[in-house]
Amino acid sequence: MVQQVTRGIKISVITNFEGTFYKNYKIHYAFGYKVTIENQSKDSVQLNARHWIILDALNNVETVSGEGVIGKKPVLKPGESHTYTSGCLLTSPFGAMRGHYSMVNFTTTKKFDVAIPSFKLSAPFAIN
């Protein structure tokens, strides 16, 4: 598990390898990840958008941006958390992801970014 706190918002990520499959005559490696967003600040906040950078061992880089997470824009009061699961496909058995969430503080009405710490994706059969 990796964790990081930015402006009182704690991000925790756990990953797992889901398996392999062929698509368009290429092997793909499927990974899942579970993210918990915990509001440790004194203010209510809302997650409005996400921005991911996905890298694989073959130097492929994919950028994914969009509103909310899994179709939701969770509002977190102090002490509350939101957990969701998602996944990605790589063309190699190793990779990494990192990014940030765009949020708004309801007390100050200011927007701010919360760092998503870099986490590794690795297929267990490919580890030395």
Side-chain angles (χ1 to χ4, degrees):
M1 174 188 303
V2 297
Q3 298 179 325
Q4 184 168 337
V5 178
T6 306
R7 292 188 173 186
I9 309 301
K10 180 180 179 181
I11 306 297
S12 304
V13 184
I14 299 172
T15 64
N16 62 301
F17 176 66
E18 301 286 337
T20 59
F21 67 94
Y22 284 91
K23 178 181 173 185
N24 298 330
Y25 304 104
K26 281 181 149 180
I27 192 166
H28 287 78
Y29 302 85
F31 296 90
Y33 55 90
K34 180 178 173 181
V35 179
T36 299
I37 305 159
E38 182 182 347
N39 184 358
Q40 298 179 337
S41 76
K42 296 176 183 172
D43 301 322
S44 292
V45 299
Q46 181 175 27
L47 188 156
N48 288 321
R50 69 192 182 288
H51 179 80
W52 289 104
I53 298 171
I54 306 166
L55 309 129
D56 73 12
L58 302 174
N59 289 326
N60 294 316
V61 178
E62 182 180 359
T63 302
V64 178
S65 296
E67 289 191 10
V69 289
I70 313 298
K72 297 180 180 177
K73 293 183 177 181
V75 174
L76 302 172
K77 295 176 183 170
E80 291 184 340
S81 64
H82 177 79
T83 300
Y84 72 95
T85 57
S86 191
C88 71
L89 297 176
L90 299 181
T91 54
S92 72
F94 298 106
M97 292 177 65
R98 69 177 187 271
H100 69 268
Y101 295 120
S102 296
M103 304 186 91
V104 64
N105 180 313
F106 283 160
T107 302
T108 65
T109 68
K110 292 188 178 181
K111 295 179 182 179
F112 64 101
D113 288 341
V114 172
I116 303 167
S118 179
F119 55 92
K120 295 179 183 177
L121 304 166
S122 59
F125 62 83
I127 297 174
N128 291 345

